[in-house]
Amino acid sequence: MDTEASARTVSVEILIEFDENNVLNYAKADRLESRERAEVREYVQNILRRRSYLDFLIDQFSNVKIEEMKSSLKNILRLGVYDMLFMDSTPDYAAINESVEIAKYELGSRTGDLTNAILRNLQRDIDNLPKPDFEDRTKLVATTFSHPEWLVKRWTDRFGEREAFKLMQANNQRPVYYIRANNLRTKTENFKLRMSKNDIDFQESDWLPGYFRVESVAPFISNGWLKKGFCQVQDIAAGFAPYLLDPQPNESIYDLCAAPGTKSVLMSDLMNGEGDILAVDISSDRLDQLAQSALSYHAENIRVRRADVTELELEEADGVLLDAPCTGTGVLSKRADLRWRRDKEGLENAIKLQSELLDSAAKMVKKGGRLVYSTCSLEEEENMEQVMNFLDRHENFEIQSVEGYVPDEIIVHGGLAYQTLPHKHNCDGHFGVLLKRVS
């Protein structure tokens, strides 16, 4: 197969493994060239963003119900339909032929013929495709916007249909990317000049200094600027928690559940590389990556430690950042797979773990010190409800105003928290609060 087909074949392999094992592993693409690897990520994420809708269309044009199909056939067809409907650069005949060839190679000639029949049926009606018309409103919306039904119901109940639609539409768009200039290795003004000289389009944010909205991170990778530590890929919403903690150069800071370490590096930058940051995570592999990043970014005041935060005993610090594991419902544009990996039970498990982590983090804060709790979730149970339950258990902590630390546009709960929303703020969805130990 040619280069394009190789990218398609690997995409199908990754999607099959995701369906069967609930694991998204891009290692299968390592055997491809860098351009092809990028294509694989685009295919996989975009197909996952539209999976329910693609399945609906396949079902409309197939004599075999999609729930009766093997995972391999489903994903070959999803790839073909996606190519036909959303890839302007791919002619219909090429999309069909490539999918048929993959089906024949993987599943035999009869399945190749079936693939050909289904895709050609769809091609004949491509200008007048059927629309989902289920009587069940939740199923209708879930299919149209390719989100799981349990999440659709939560969001429509909370936000109302119109607002929920906008949120789901935002999740299905190409992600917005931000680059942050690392002042431990360069100066923001110098970095802007570097981007301009390389004809990179960027839009400087007026929310946080040194953040630039860009169309793609590819130029920063190809120029080696990430490896050299001049900048890091970090959504601006992820920067609010470190700014809320406001670490000072002479302080001791703990970053709990720290990997991959972008917040640790930002805090080192805010501290001018002085003071002490202990980055803690349970994953040794991710900590190794964090340690390497600290070297690349000249964040020399970062130490790493592998530990389970709920079992960790440390001296009390001036500031603690707990960016807690969560459902990730605020980052479904960048992580389309998460919408299919999360469920009600997963939400309940996340809430329980966050509660345990908060209780552990509270023991690490000295009197007068600060604790910032943040998530990339939109769910109230993981956010303000979690915080209020924490305050009920810990009378020695008080919640502080976030005004003056973050933009007014994202402040919620009467000034006591921030919450970004993808469809409103053009960034990932993040939540955070500032807690102070008073006794």
Side-chain angles (χ1 to χ4, degrees), residues 380-397:
E380 280 295 288
E381 298 96 321
E382 298 182 85
N383 295 339
M384 205 59 180
E385 287 182 23
Q386 185 73 264
V387 173
M388 298 312 293
N389 289 335
F390 168 83
L391 291 171
D392 286 343
R393 299 192 304 273
H394 296 269
E395 295 182 354
N396 58 333
F397 277 85

Side-chain angles (χ1 to χ4, degrees), residues 36 41 89 170 177 226 251 293 303 325 358 386 437:
E36 296 173 277
R41 287 183 177 271
S89 59
Y177 291 102
L226 298 177
E251 290 187 321
S293 292
R303 297 179 293 122
L358 268 168
Q386 185 73 264
R437 181 180 165 186

